[in-house]
Amino acid sequence: MKISVLGTGNMGKALVKQAAAYAGGQVFWGSRNPAEAAELAKTFQLDGIVTGSYEEALQADIIIPAFPASAMIEWAAAHKEKIKNKIVVDISNPFNNDFSGFTTAWGESSAERLQSLLPESKVVGAFKNTFFKVFENPVFEDQKSDVLVTGDDEEAVRQFIERFEPLPFRFLHAGRLANNRTIERFTLLELELAVRYGTYPYISLQLFGIKEAVPAN
């Protein structure tokens, strides 16, 4: 399945670099400034990165808009017809401007909100708990960083994990999209812990007791 990443911020760069290095095949990098993305791609010295516009990036099967949660609503409304039946990966966390809380209600997540805006797309939540610095070294003391993958479409979750499994992370099926209500809030706690212990922005999850990435049921 073809992968595209939209955006040249920290997470966009990190995702493109990892996907191009490990996932195999082409990774399309969409940007509002394709020339800038092309120059950045050269610095990675990796084969398989194709750059172009945001519109061109929508042709992929798995689309990762690496935008802040505040930009996702407008993006979804503008492109919902073009991304029908596509897997759309939500990596965003709905933090407010000073990181003291959330822009979503207690019983809502960014991923659920995106799915409601894109009823004919298959929204998968992933990489929410993974800060961009972790992509540079996702293995800490011989333990891989865990990526929690959620979705209401089981086949979409399976396809995402299968496509990204070559990356040096451990991908765990973390259930339905509603579980992002917990994941997104815990990610803000991760941020606070990283600042408190002086490791920000290098922090992620490692869950003990799970031997296999494939769930028992």
Side-chain angles (χ1 to χ4, degrees):
M1 302 184 76
K2 295 180 180 178
I3 300 167
S4 70
V5 177
L6 286 69
T8 56
N10 287 329
M11 283 296 288
K13 287 185 285 189
L15 283 162
V16 167
K17 192 172 184 178
Q18 284 283 349
Y22 295 100
Q26 288 187 342
V27 179
F28 193 95
W29 197 1
S31 173
R32 68 165 61 91
N33 185 344
E36 177 189 8
E39 287 302 310
L40 285 170
K42 288 178 184 177
T43 67
F44 296 162
Q45 298 182 341
L46 294 168
D47 295 329
I49 302 174
V50 179
T51 57
S53 68
Y54 283 154
E55 291 291 323
E56 292 172 305
L58 302 182
Q59 298 174 25
D61 304 298
I62 300 176
I63 301 167
I64 310 177
F67 304 142
S70 58
M72 294 295 283
I73 296 175
E74 183 178 348
W75 178 83
H79 301 293
K80 64 184 296 184
E81 292 301 316
K82 295 180 181 178
I83 55 179
K84 286 181 178 179
N85 302 313
K86 307 270 189 176
I87 296 175
V88 180
V89 183
D90 178 33
I91 68 169
S92 69
N93 288 294
F95 303 150
N96 60 19
N97 290 334
D98 63 0
F99 298 98
S100 63
F102 299 85
T103 60
T104 50
W106 181 256
E108 181 187 27
S109 67
S110 176
E112 291 173 285
R113 182 172 61 187
L114 184 61
Q115 183 67 86
S116 71
L117 294 168
L118 299 172
E120 295 184 74
S121 300
K122 304 165 188 176
V123 173
V124 168
F127 294 112
K128 288 175 178 284
N129 60 287
T130 313
F131 287 81
F132 73 91
K133 200 70 175 176
V134 177
F135 285 80
E136 297 176 12
N137 182 19
V139 181
F140 180 73
E141 294 187 351
D142 298 323
Q143 298 262 353
K144 288 184 178 180
S145 167
D146 286 332
V147 175
L148 304 180
V149 184
T150 58
D152 293 338
D153 187 302
E154 286 290 322
E155 181 64 11
V157 172
R158 184 194 67 78
Q159 289 174 326
F160 171 84
I161 292 176
E162 185 177 86
R163 191 69 180 86
F164 281 79
E165 200 167 28
L167 275 66
F169 295 85
R170 185 173 67 161
F171 293 89
L172 299 177
H173 189 327
R176 58 200 178 114
L177 284 179
N179 287 341
N180 287 285
R181 301 173 194 177
T182 301
I183 294 168
E184 292 169 6
R185 280 162 172 75
F186 187 79
T187 301
L188 187 56
L189 177 58
E190 279 187 79
L191 187 154
E192 181 178 335
L193 287 167
V195 171
R196 187 179 301 276
Y197 285 91
T199 69
Y200 181 79
Y202 186 73
I203 191 167
S204 190
L205 294 178
Q206 294 175 342
L207 299 175
F208 291 93
I210 301 173
K211 294 183 179 180
E212 301 293 336
V214 179
N217 52 56

